[in-house]
Amino acid sequence: DPPTFFPAWCLAAHKKRKLAILAVRGSASHTDWLVNADAAPAPVFRRRRHEDAASAAAPTCASRDDVVAHGGMVRAARAILDDCGARACVTALARAGYAIELTGHSLGARHAGE
């Protein structure tokens, strides 16, 4: 598989306020523009109807039941969340009672919305 590019990001937590912010930088480098150019739709998740959970867990192509988004941004958001560990950190903070806020600009705003 080719490498997955993603923009710079930061997860900051304020202990006293019980607030965590995941911030994703906007387009600033040539690799960010590679993410922007990878615009083919990619499934984000599949709406569950009567299919079993296993078949809906990992769709490989878009169907009418898939919710899709900009492919490069979907892959970059998943890299930040899963490959870089942000999902585990955000989950742990949420379980500890922290409010979670997502923010970004341009390319970063799209990732924050994933």
Side-chain angles (χ1 to χ4, degrees), residues 10-102:
C10 174
L11 177 61
H14 193 286
K15 190 174 183 178
K16 195 173 193 178
R17 291 186 182 175
K18 299 283 268 189
L19 172 66
I21 299 172
L22 176 60
V24 184
R25 187 197 67 210
S27 301
S29 71
H30 69 282
T31 56
D32 295 337
W33 289 102
L34 291 173
V35 172
N36 292 338
D38 183 11
V44 177
F45 65 89
R46 176 165 285 171
R47 290 188 198 111
R48 295 187 184 198
R49 293 185 181 225
H50 298 290
E51 69 260 354
D52 64 352
S55 66
T60 55
C61 63
S63 74
R64 65 180 179 84
D65 291 331
D66 288 341
V67 174
V68 298
H70 183 287
M73 294 185 188
V74 168
R75 283 180 282 285
R78 287 186 177 142
I80 291 169
L81 290 171
D82 299 325
D83 300 341
C84 297
R87 184 186 313 270
C89 293
V90 167
T91 299
L93 287 164
R95 286 183 180 152
Y98 282 71
I100 309 297
E101 293 185 7
L102 307 173

